[in-house]
Amino acid sequence: MLRRRILASVLISIFIGISSLGAQPIRMIFSHASAEDTLIHALAVKFKEEVEKNSKGKIEIRIYPNSQMGGDRENFEGVQMGNITFIVKPAGIFDLPFLFPNKEVARKALDGPLFATIAKEYEKVNVKLLGIADQDFRELTLNKPVTKVSDLSGVKIRTMENPNHMATWKSLGANPTPVPFNEVYIALQQKMVEGQENPYEYIVTMKFFEQQKYLIHTNHIFQTMGFVMNKATYDKLSPDLKAIIDTAAKNAVAFERRGIDEKNSSYLETIKKSGMQVIDLSPAVLSEFQKRSASVYDMIRKNIGDIVDKAIEAVKEAQK
């Protein structure tokens, strides 16, 4: 992995170096952590193709999937510094557990006035928000059934190295254990963890279902993916190229969302055919989950302030 990152860094240095000499086209880097058979990669390809076509070759985009440039943290730092132009990564601002009742409300809220509020926050750290894609809800998989909150007591669940996610599972009585994404399958296989939580897409494409017996529809976090670029790079573009970037980003996000909606039914069918049992939690149990995790809202509010309350209000408006 380290060797791949070093090689990719060298290639990017050469790539950007050529651009600095004033050669055309303008060369840009698109990095993400997802595999090439995911819809996040499809979003990147869709965006690249539309930008290159509509800019008539003035912009050229090179895509580095599969964490070639590092994980989400390294990618975000790279886009802040300008070493990477575009990334798609989980948007931590929506780590609020059980915020959205369904994906329709989630998307309506995300595409409304809340988008501009979030965009302003990104701009404070030299990042331009182009769109918010999603992978639908994160769901729990385990080798034991869960039908009530107490069933999670002491259960070792793999999470991202994300304090908000970890706090959520702790509030529910579980034992959250960070494991790098590319090591999750082995961690499940070797019983280092008892379960994990991810959207359907990763449960299937990473074959986590091979090591799990139950899929529990917790719908705990709507997996939003912030599609962002280096703000300084965006600001230097001519108005016509900015418009091309903006339109292509909007189309790519819509394309990715449609793809998730179309594929999720087949993903769920694959999960069921594998022998996994699917558990749908009752509204009463989900309400208890939400109450137990209320402290996470206070924790996140301390870090991002009144955006939490604006997000809650946006959800209420989207339900009208």
Side-chain angles (χ1 to χ4, degrees):
M1 179 64 75
L2 179 59
R3 186 176 180 182
R4 287 171 61 195
R5 290 181 187 174
I6 293 173
L7 178 59
S9 296
V10 171
L11 289 173
I12 282 180
S13 297
I14 295 172
F15 195 56
I16 294 176
I18 293 172
S19 296
S20 66
L21 295 175
Q24 290 293 330
I26 301 170
R27 292 176 170 88
M28 298 181 176
I29 302 299
F30 195 138
S31 175
H32 66 81
S34 299
E36 292 173 80
D37 58 352
T38 64
L39 281 157
I40 290 301
H41 184 68
L43 176 153
V45 172
K46 171 75 172 174
F47 177 74
K48 164 187 165 69
E49 291 175 348
E50 186 166 327
V51 169
E52 291 181 346
K53 176 183 177 182
N54 292 335
S55 70
K56 295 180 171 58
K58 290 181 181 178
I59 295 176
E60 180 181 316
I61 299 172
R62 191 168 290 182
I63 303 171
Y64 290 84
N66 262 324
S67 300
Q68 290 181 46
M69 295 309 302
D72 289 328
R73 182 183 299 176
E74 293 89 347
N75 277 339
F76 192 74
E77 290 172 352
V79 86
Q80 284 182 293
M81 294 185 291
N83 299 329
I84 297 172
T85 319
F86 308 98
I87 64 169
V88 181
K89 69 177 289 294
I93 196 169
F94 294 110
D95 285 344
L96 297 163
F98 308 100
L99 173 64
F100 301 110
N102 55 60
K103 69 181 176 184
E104 289 76 22
V105 167
R107 290 172 179 172
K108 186 177 179 181
L110 294 170
D111 294 340
L114 183 61
F115 184 91
T117 300
I118 300 166
K120 288 180 182 178
E121 293 301 311
Y122 275 110
E123 288 182 2
K124 292 177 182 179
V125 291
N126 195 35
V127 174
K128 170 74 175 177
L129 180 63
L130 297 175
I132 302 176
D134 71 71
Q135 295 171 301
D136 214 320
F137 285 98
R138 298 181 74 90
E139 309 290 5
L140 175 65
T141 67
L142 278 175
N143 282 327
K144 61 170 283 188
V146 170
T147 58
K148 54 187 182 298
V149 179
S150 60
D151 290 336
L152 290 172
S153 181
V155 176
K156 201 170 185 180
I157 299 173
R158 179 271 170 182
T159 67
M160 294 190 289
E161 190 180 354
N162 178 315
N164 301 329
H165 286 213
M166 294 177 69
T168 294
W169 290 108
K170 283 181 180 178
S171 73
L172 299 174
N175 179 13
T177 306
V179 175
F181 185 64
N182 61 351
E183 297 176 15
V184 175
Y185 187 93
I186 294 175
L188 292 170
Q189 186 179 52
Q190 297 182 351
K191 312 299 181 186
M192 295 168 58
V193 292
E194 298 170 74
Q196 64 84 49
E197 46 84 48
N198 262 298
Y200 285 170
E201 184 170 44
Y202 290 150
I203 294 171
V204 173
T205 60
M206 299 303 290
K207 300 187 184 300
F208 299 151
F209 63 85
E210 293 181 348
Q211 301 297 327
Q212 302 278 263
K213 295 179 180 179
Y214 296 91
L215 168 71
I216 301 97
H217 280 137
T218 46
N219 289 359
H220 52 283
I221 290 177
F222 189 68
Q223 185 63 46
T224 53
M225 305 293 286
F227 180 11
V228 302
M229 75 175 290
N230 175 262
K231 185 176 181 297
T233 300
Y234 181 86
D235 290 343
K236 290 176 184 177
L237 295 174
S238 61
D240 62 319
L241 292 182
K242 286 180 181 177
I244 288 171
I245 291 287
D246 292 343
T247 300
K250 182 177 180 179
N251 292 340
V253 167
F255 173 81
E256 188 272 344
R257 286 179 178 178
R258 287 195 302 271
I260 282 292
D261 291 345
E262 291 170 3
K263 283 195 170 186
N264 264 359
S265 59
S266 63
Y267 285 146
L268 182 57
E269 190 63 27
T270 298
I271 289 169
K272 289 179 177 178
K273 285 182 178 179
S274 75
M276 287 186 73
Q277 295 184 44
V278 177
I279 297 175
D280 293 312
L281 298 176
S282 69
V285 172
L286 288 173
S287 178
E288 181 64 21
F289 275 33
Q290 188 176 36
K291 290 176 183 177
R292 293 286 188 95
S293 59
S295 60
V296 181
Y297 280 61
D298 295 329
M299 171 183 159
I300 296 176
R301 190 178 279 108
K302 289 179 181 178
N303 294 325
I304 63 175
D306 65 354
I307 296 181
V308 170
D309 300 301
K310 289 179 180 179
I312 294 171
E313 185 60 33
V315 171
K316 290 179 181 178
E317 287 296 317
Q319 290 178 285
K320 291 181 179 179

